[in-house]
Amino acid sequence: MKKLLTLVFVSVLGGIITLSAYKFFIEKEQTITLETKQEQPQFINTNYDTKTANLLHNGQLDFTAAAESTLDAVVHVKNTAIVSAPTSLDDLFFGKRSQRAQVGTGSGVIINKDGYIITNNHVIAGSNNISITLNDNRVYDAELIGTDEKTDIALLKIDANEDLPSIPFGDSDTAKIGEWVLAVGNPFNLTSTVTAGIISAKARDLSGTNSQSFIQTDAAVNPGNSGGALVNSRGELVGINTAISSRTGSYIGYSFAVPSNIARKVVEDIMEFGNVQEGVLGISALNRNSKEAIEMGINEIDGVYISNVEDNSGAKKAGIKSGDIIKKLDNVEISKFTDLSGYIKTKRPNDVVNVEILRDNKLKTIPVKLSKSDIISIEFINMELRNIPSRVKKEYDLTNGVMVRKNENAYLYKRLGIRPGYIITKVNDIEINTVQDISKFTEKYGKNAQDKIFKLEYLDTQLNKKEVIFE
């Protein structure tokens, strides 16, 4: 028996040594290429004349002109990233660490003759190299000009030494539910492909936070369409295809796009400023489905009910008050908060927006100069902090602090339990009154801010006082 076990052990060991020697001395190192096909939300922007005469040919719908004018301006985007490969025998025996190339694919839209291209941020995220394939199969290396993760928009540039076909922006605010649109992209690594559908809804929020404002369509969108064009019957860009709603990973009836007005503003900001300039009204809205809204009898209002106006904001300075109901922004009808947030995303700080409000059963239009977003909220050590609404201060008798709106800091969340709704009152014995105090701390220490924190004082949602010492 012992001889048999010894023989088995020697055989296994010999096999391992032989395989390792083969891989190390003979087998050439291989690069494994993976293609990711995870669909993400899309963005659109439209400018559409609701007259449909240009869609009719011999009494039937005709999209040929719009398709012909857009096909060559939609490109294939390939993102190559270098990632660590799974641990192998080489790693165990020789201490090597294998790497592989992981490839993601999507679509993009040429927006001017100089070679600027819009796509989704998720299509090129983590890339070491980006290549663009035109509809005539020419391939170019692309330069990443800038990205905005919040809207999932990225801007690329290729140098083709010639004028390139492009798609003009339309006005997505004028797009109508029921309007025909085309989705143009590169699903399944094909050349440019066109599908048709209608706009099913506007100002859709897929996150549940009222921070998104997608255009929903029933045009067939599949993996590889992300970053492609949503165009109207005139061939104008009304959105950037970004996401689908699916249980299978493929199209089953709903797709979503970023409105073109948002996408256009993002890329113009990136080109001019290097980042996105966010403007805010400076108001908080009451969720119409909340218990408070139902008790107040305003859960079915058509508009946005203002529950709080931020100090030092443009809305406060213009005379907007809690209890006002926003009905329009610059003649654009506002029926819910995603309508409002989507429109404001197309504006910059110091832009003036005409706000039509309902107050005491009377309509009134008030011009408001938008403020910078950092008067309300700020990013801090992987948390999003915001000023405490006045009603919350009053309800819990708070005199200072900032509220945690989002927490992606694993240490603070898992070890200390800090989550949305908690109030941070002091950092290193420095009293925190507004996000400006947090901003000063960040400016002083920069990226090393968390390493400089030795004490953090905060309140949980039940107002139990806690003090945490960082080691």
Side-chain angles (χ1 to χ4, degrees), residues 86-255:
T87 302
S88 66
L89 287 173
D90 286 349
D91 302 332
L92 294 174
F93 280 91
F94 305 106
K96 293 176 62 178
R97 187 60 176 168
S98 302
Q99 290 186 321
R100 67 183 181 188
Q102 180 170 291
V103 176
T105 61
S107 304
V109 183
I110 303 175
I111 57 172
N112 69 17
K113 64 180 182 180
D114 297 323
Y116 282 96
I117 297 169
I118 291 182
T119 186
N120 284 139
N121 176 67
H122 75 264
V123 170
I124 53 81
S127 62
N128 292 86
N129 176 265
I130 302 171
S131 66
I132 300 296
T133 304
L134 303 185
N135 199 37
D136 60 8
N137 292 319
R138 285 182 293 168
V139 180
Y140 297 91
D141 288 332
E143 176 188 1
L144 177 60
I145 304 299
T147 67
D148 180 51
E149 187 175 351
K150 288 184 178 179
T151 55
D152 200 7
I153 291 294
L155 180 64
L156 311 175
K157 174 80 164 60
I158 61 173
D159 294 319
N161 297 320
E162 63 179 75
D163 290 349
L164 293 173
S166 61
I167 301 178
F169 280 98
D171 181 1
S172 52
D173 288 336
T174 63
K176 304 295 184 182
I177 294 175
E179 175 183 333
W180 283 95
V181 287
L182 302 180
V184 189
N186 278 273
F188 309 119
N189 286 335
L190 303 172
T191 54
S192 293
T193 302
V194 179
T195 57
I198 63 170
I199 293 177
S200 307
K202 296 178 65 177
R204 286 295 199 206
D205 175 38
L206 307 182
S207 67
T209 62
N210 290 322
S211 61
Q212 299 173 333
S213 186
F214 292 122
I215 294 176
Q216 177 183 323
T217 78
D218 66 354
V221 170
N222 279 292
N225 267 110
S226 285
L230 188 69
V231 300
N232 60 22
S233 63
R234 293 180 173 184
E236 297 169 329
L237 187 66
V238 294
I240 304 297
N241 298 320
T242 304
I244 60 176
S245 175
S246 173
R247 295 180 179 178
T248 65
S250 297
Y251 172 79
I252 59 171
Y254 298 109
S255 56

Side-chain angles (χ1 to χ4, degrees), residues 306-322:
I306 298 175
S307 60
N308 182 70
V309 182
E310 297 287 342
D311 293 334
N312 300 318
S313 68
K316 187 80 169 183
K317 295 174 182 177
I320 301 289
K321 299 178 180 179
S322 298

Side-chain angles (χ1 to χ4, degrees), residues 279-282 312-318 348-355 366-372 375:
V280 295
L281 273 178
N312 300 318
S313 68
K316 187 80 169 183
K317 295 174 182 177
R348 298 185 178 94
N350 297 321
D351 283 351
V352 176
V353 176
N354 291 309
V355 182
I366 302 175
V368 176
K369 180 184 288 188
L370 300 184
S371 309
K372 292 184 177 180
I375 72 162

Side-chain angles (χ1 to χ4, degrees), residues 202-204 212-213 302 304 329 332-344:
K202 296 178 65 177
R204 286 295 199 206
Q212 299 173 333
S213 186
D302 186 23
V304 173
L329 296 177
V332 175
E333 292 187 2
I334 304 297
S335 61
K336 54 187 181 298
F337 191 78
T338 49
D339 292 332
L340 183 148
S341 62
Y343 186 78
I344 294 298

Side-chain angles (χ1 to χ4, degrees), residues 388-400 403 421-423 459-464:
I388 306 173
S390 299
R391 61 182 181 83
V392 176
K393 282 187 175 181
K394 183 178 180 180
E395 182 178 355
Y396 295 106
D397 194 26
L398 297 172
T399 57
N400 70 291
M403 179 180 290
Y422 277 43
I423 308 295
L459 306 172
D460 68 12
T461 52
Q462 302 301 318
L463 299 184
N464 295 320

Side-chain angles (χ1 to χ4, degrees), residues 409-421:
N409 187 308
Y411 178 83
L412 295 180
Y413 183 81
K414 294 180 180 178
R415 295 287 300 276
L416 307 178
I418 295 179
R419 51 180 48 87

